[in-house]
Amino acid sequence: MVYDEFSRKDNDSSRSVENQDIEQDINQSDSSKDSLDWAKQVYARLKEQQQKQKTEEFRESTELLKDQSQALESSFVDQNDNELKDVNEIKESVILDKEIASSNFVDNVEKSDKPILGEFNDTFAWSAEILAAQGRQLDQLAIEEIDWLGRLRKGLEKTRRSFVTGLLEKLGDDPLTPEVVDDLETMLLRADAGVEATDQILDALRHRLNEAVMPADEGLCFLKEQLCSVIDAPIKASGNNLLTPKRGLLNIWLMVGVNGVGKTTTLGKIANLAVRSNYSTLIAAADTFRAAAVEQVQVWGERSGVQVIANTTTNADPAAVVFDAIGSAKAKGTDLLLVDTAGRLQTKNNLMDELQKVRRIVDKLAPDANVESLLVLDASQGQNGLRQAMAFGEFAGLTGVVITKLDGSSRGGVALAVSSEAKLPIRFIGAGEGIRDLRPFNSFEFVEALLANR
């Protein structure tokens, strides 16, 4: 069974987690005791699943060793009687090999990048509760989802500390007041939410306050709804709630952005995500201007078993690399072609011209392909990242944004600015340095992780 991490479902499951209408709000779910009981049931089921998987993998490993040892013994038995001593020696060697293989199996499980169920704790309980709030049933949950939500919550810790702690202190247990709303304005701007998003959220809060008294918990719930509304607007406008490669069609995703934002690393992580989700994938190393860029892409390709089309000649033509990559992708029936473009500042006209040239090659050679142009933004750059998005949109025909390095920044609010001012849908977010620390974006989960209060 392959877990499709783009659509967030097993390949034999019909239900996925998208930016959909949430079936129940996390603040209006059952009592904390019921939530804890649910989380414990989820934990018990996932623990049983993982144990079965380990048992099956170990059984397959030992059966393979058994077949190999029998073949070795047969080959020695067929030799002269004088060599019986060698047979006994090989038997002893086989037994030792089995013991070593068993030990290696355990070590490989522990060192694997596959998510492993840890201890039951508050983070697990919160993750299970978030999935329940999206209508997920007990038999629809996977370790991958729990693992990612824990990583996301941890990755947003810096933003949460600077934003949520102050917010919860202001809210307390008293009804929401105009003074608290004014303080919220400062907090949102500090988190780099942007003026437009901040005004939209505060106007909605003030309008609601004029209608009725709002208790603290209701105020927090309403705030979450407004945050999701701002982020979801460009996603819904795109007509595509979740960005996934389309089966039976060549998908070409151009990764653009300035040097230092994590563009090449993001491409490598998306390639790994695609391979784990059973999409055939190819990488075009078209960043031919930055020193060691091609080598970096090749390392990522090796990590995920993805072929890299590259030209190691100094200052090779990026468009020529893309030309070759498209030809190879079409010949092999590849699902997803990821193109690493040269890191560039929006003020470098010659590099922008190269980007437009690459886009023309794509449109000419693959007119029927599903083409996405994804801008990679470093969350720590805040409003400067937003200005990049606005400038790149003119040259690259941007269709979405990938926000990286959320774990190293207290400016997670830039997601709101990108959505409200650049009008671009957020497609992926990165919240750590690990190969699994980048996933498709889900506004509900992002806001809940941002405002988690336990």
Side-chain angles (χ1 to χ4, degrees):
M1 181 186 297
V2 176
Y3 182 78
D4 188 335
E5 301 197 47
F6 283 102
S7 61
R8 300 275 301 277
K9 66 180 181 180
D10 294 324
N11 283 344
D12 61 351
S13 171
S14 61
R15 183 172 184 119
S16 64
V17 174
E18 299 184 6
N19 291 315
Q20 55 190 342
D21 294 331
I22 305 305
E23 298 183 15
Q24 67 178 73
D25 186 86
I26 197 70
N27 292 322
Q28 297 176 337
S29 59
D30 295 335
S31 67
S32 58
K33 181 178 182 301
D34 290 339
S35 297
L36 185 60
D37 289 342
W38 156 261
K40 288 180 178 178
Q41 291 179 49
V42 172
Y43 185 83
R45 184 175 183 278
L46 293 180
K47 188 173 183 178
E48 181 183 359
Q49 277 185 345
Q50 185 168 266
Q51 187 58 47
K52 286 182 178 178
Q53 184 178 3
K54 286 182 179 179
T55 301
E56 180 61 22
E57 289 175 354
F58 185 76
R59 184 188 63 80
E60 292 176 355
S61 177
T62 53
E63 285 184 355
L64 179 61
L65 282 169
K66 181 180 178 181
D67 291 341
Q68 291 175 341
S69 65
Q70 288 177 345
L72 283 170
E73 290 179 17
S74 297
S75 66
F76 274 86
V77 167
D78 289 339
Q79 295 180 12
N80 295 330
D81 292 340
N82 293 336
E83 297 179 345
L84 285 177
K85 181 180 178 181
D86 292 336
V87 174
N88 293 329
E89 288 178 354
I90 196 62
K91 285 182 178 180
E92 292 175 1
S93 176
V94 167
I95 292 172
L96 181 60
D97 286 345
K98 287 181 179 180
E99 293 174 353
I100 293 173
S102 176
S103 176
N104 288 342
F105 174 82
V106 174
D107 289 341
N108 290 337
V109 168
E110 292 175 351
K111 296 176 182 177
S112 171
D113 67 347
K114 290 183 179 180
I116 295 176
L117 195 63
E119 296 181 357
F120 183 88
N121 53 26
D122 285 345
T123 299
F124 183 96
W126 174 84
S127 300
E129 191 176 354
I130 295 301
L131 292 170
Q134 297 177 85
R136 303 303 298 275
Q137 302 300 314
L138 189 62
D139 61 349
Q140 296 172 329
L141 303 183
I143 293 177
E144 287 85 354
E145 292 179 299
I146 297 289
D147 177 70
W148 164 244
L149 286 172
R151 291 169 187 258
L152 177 62
R153 185 172 183 262
K154 181 179 179 182
L156 285 170
E157 185 175 351
K158 288 187 178 180
T159 300
R160 186 166 58 249
R161 277 205 307 260
S162 63
F163 176 68
V164 180
T165 302
L167 173 62
L168 294 178
E169 288 176 354
K170 295 290 183 184
L171 283 175
D173 296 323
D174 300 324
L176 203 64
T177 64
E179 291 75 21
V180 171
V181 174
D182 290 340
D183 290 335
L184 177 61
E185 179 177 13
T186 302
M187 295 176 193
L188 285 168
L189 291 173
R190 256 184 214 162
D192 260 340
V195 174
E196 188 171 331
T198 299
D199 287 347
Q200 180 179 333
I201 293 166
L202 295 183
D203 287 347
L205 278 170
R206 291 184 177 116
H207 180 74
R208 183 70 176 268
L209 277 176
N210 289 334
E211 294 178 346
V213 175
M214 192 183 303
D217 57 346
E218 185 179 333
L220 186 60
C221 174
F222 187 74
L223 174 61
K224 290 179 179 180
E225 291 174 359
Q226 294 305 307
L227 293 173
C228 283
S229 177
V230 170
I231 296 172
D232 277 340
I235 295 175
K236 291 180 178 179
S238 72
N240 186 9
N241 285 350
L242 196 63
L243 181 61
T244 63
K246 293 179 172 59
R247 300 283 186 183
L249 182 68
L250 175 59
N251 299 268
I252 302 176
W253 292 2
L254 306 174
M255 312 301 294
V256 302
V258 302
N259 288 332
V261 297
K263 175 174 55 64
T264 302
T265 299
T266 296
L267 178 144
K269 290 181 179 181
I270 292 178
N272 185 269
L273 192 73
V275 170
R276 296 202 309 266
S277 302
N278 206 26
Y279 289 95
S280 56
T281 308
L282 192 66
I283 295 174
D287 184 356
T288 59
F289 297 104
R290 179 170 64 90
V294 173
E295 289 81 359
Q296 185 182 359
V297 173
Q298 289 173 331
V299 169
W300 276 106
E302 290 175 4
R303 290 184 67 180
S304 301
V306 175
Q307 182 184 359
V308 176
I309 304 299
N311 185 337
T312 56
T313 305
T314 304
N315 292 330
D317 183 4
V321 175
V322 175
F323 183 96
D324 293 341
I326 292 175
S328 179
K330 291 171 72 173
K332 297 177 180 179
T334 300
D335 294 322
L336 177 62
L337 170 61
L338 295 168
V339 180
D340 185 30
T341 63
R344 63 204 78 223
L345 291 171
Q346 58 269 35
T347 55
K348 297 291 185 181
N349 291 331
N350 60 323
L351 291 178
M352 284 298 185
D353 290 342
E354 285 292 341
L355 182 58
Q356 291 178 311
K357 183 180 177 182
V358 167
R359 187 57 192 257
R360 288 195 298 270
I361 289 291
V362 170
D363 293 340
K364 181 178 180 179
L365 294 183
D368 298 326
N370 175 42
V371 182
E372 299 285 342
S373 185
L374 302 177
L375 177 69
V376 181
L377 291 180
D378 181 346
S380 65
Q381 294 184 356
Q383 290 295 308
N384 184 48
L386 174 61
R387 287 191 289 273
Q388 291 174 21
M390 305 289 276
F392 268 98
E394 178 183 352
F395 293 92
L398 296 177
T399 60
V401 173
V402 181
I403 299 181
T404 65
K405 305 182 183 180
L406 280 168
D407 57 311
S409 171
S410 60
R411 297 178 176 181
V414 72
L416 296 163
V418 168
S419 299
S420 63
E421 298 180 34
K423 311 295 183 187
L424 287 169
I426 302 170
R427 293 308 191 184
F428 297 90
I429 53 172
E433 297 180 357
I435 199 168
R436 286 180 172 267
D437 292 333
L438 182 136
R439 294 292 173 90
F441 181 74
N442 178 301
S443 63
F444 176 75
E445 294 174 354
F446 175 80
V447 170
E448 288 295 337
L450 181 66
L451 296 178
N453 59 4
R454 69 175 183 184

